[in-house]
Amino acid sequence: MLHMSAYGPEYQHYGYCVERAKRPSRRVYDIFRHTSPVRESVKRGDKILDIGSGVGENGHDLRWLGVTTYSMDMSMYAQQKSAEVFGIESHNIKLVGNALDLPFPNKSFNFATCLDVFEHLPPHQILQVLNELKRVVSGNRMFVKLTPTEDVVNIDIDPTHITKWSESKWTEWFNKNMWKTLINPTRNLFGKTIHGNFLLEKIESPKVQLI
């Protein structure tokens, strides 16, 4: 994992997110973008873990589904910007922590989201995060948004992107590591093509019967 210092005031993506969050028209778009992929997988009252939350847009928007989101990021700076933009929110609890070693008991959450995180990690650490999510989430699904190579505009614009795979490569890798992709990761939203949307479900290991 990159050192936390890479995600401080000099990380340009945070500035873009803060500016975007202040535009009312963009807020409407983001609410739909964040809620629509998970609407069928969560219910009112659920506890959601959002890892790599950045400035907290996802957790802020998921309130429209009647859930409580625990938005965790390793960057204190990102959480400070989140508080500046959205304030202190009872439905979006901001935490600083490391996704490689989640500070929660087993089965603490009903669902997990992970937006624009996995492309910043090498494969062995992505697997470690997935294993931690299996531990702390009682449900069998999670939503991952990432930047695949099909997103030619953004894949190389961020110098902290480490793992650069196509959607088919990601699908294959997730399946190999016991997560199946439930929907096409490419979707159309208000005429805009968005790549890298993975609604994942655990693949249960076959039970061995002793004779």
Side-chain angles (χ1 to χ4, degrees):
M1 179 181 284
L2 291 172
H3 192 271
M4 189 171 61
S5 61
Y7 300 102
E10 302 304 316
Y11 186 50
Q12 295 182 358
H13 183 67
Y14 290 153
Y16 166 73
C17 290
V18 169
E19 185 276 330
R20 180 176 66 188
K22 293 179 178 179
R23 283 186 276 138
S25 60
R26 178 64 196 220
R27 286 276 74 239
V28 173
Y29 174 83
D30 279 345
I31 288 169
F32 191 82
R33 179 171 68 96
H34 292 144
T35 59
S36 60
V38 305
R39 187 182 303 275
E40 301 301 319
S41 300
V42 302
K43 63 183 184 301
R44 295 187 67 83
D46 276 356
K47 291 171 62 177
I48 312 300
L49 176 61
D50 182 36
I51 61 171
S53 57
V55 299
E57 299 160 288
N58 186 47
H60 178 73
D61 293 341
L62 290 178
R63 75 190 190 281
W64 294 101
L65 299 180
V67 302
T68 298
T69 303
Y70 290 71
S71 296
M72 195 185 80
D73 200 281
M74 69 174 186
S75 171
M76 177 64 78
Y77 177 79
Q79 296 294 27
Q80 291 170 346
K81 301 306 290 185
S82 178
E84 289 176 18
V85 175
F86 298 118
I88 304 302
E89 305 174 283
S90 60
H91 62 271
N92 184 25
I93 299 166
K94 302 170 179 62
L95 305 166
V96 175
N98 189 337
L100 298 174
D101 186 17
L102 294 173
F104 308 108
N106 294 351
K107 302 186 184 304
S108 295
F109 302 93
N110 304 102
F111 189 78
T113 56
C114 180
L115 279 59
D116 300 313
V117 173
F118 284 175
E119 61 267 47
H120 297 262
L121 303 175
H124 74 279
Q125 289 188 338
I126 300 172
L127 183 58
Q128 189 174 341
V129 173
L130 285 172
N131 287 335
E132 276 291 271
L133 289 171
K134 282 184 180 180
R135 180 181 65 80
V136 303
V137 175
S138 62
N140 62 354
R141 289 185 178 184
M142 68 174 292
F143 177 70
V144 173
K145 169 69 178 74
L146 50 82
T147 306
T149 53
E150 286 89 347
D151 187 350
V152 295
V153 173
N154 294 306
I155 187 63
D156 291 320
I157 200 170
D158 190 329
T160 66
H161 286 175
I162 294 174
T163 301
K164 301 179 181 182
W165 292 342
S166 66
E167 286 184 344
S168 60
K169 171 68 174 178
W170 279 107
T171 300
E172 177 186 352
W173 188 88
F174 283 132
N175 190 73
K176 177 183 175 182
N177 289 286
M178 307 300 287
W179 291 87
K180 66 180 177 181
T181 301
L182 297 179
I183 58 174
N184 188 329
T186 297
R187 62 179 174 139
N188 185 282
L189 187 61
F190 301 128
K192 181 179 179 180
T193 300
I194 305 178
H195 297 285
N197 301 273
F198 289 87
L199 181 61
L200 301 175
E201 185 173 83
K202 296 176 190 174
I203 300 174
E204 300 297 338
S205 300
K207 295 182 179 179
V208 178
Q209 291 186 339
L210 299 177
I211 313 177

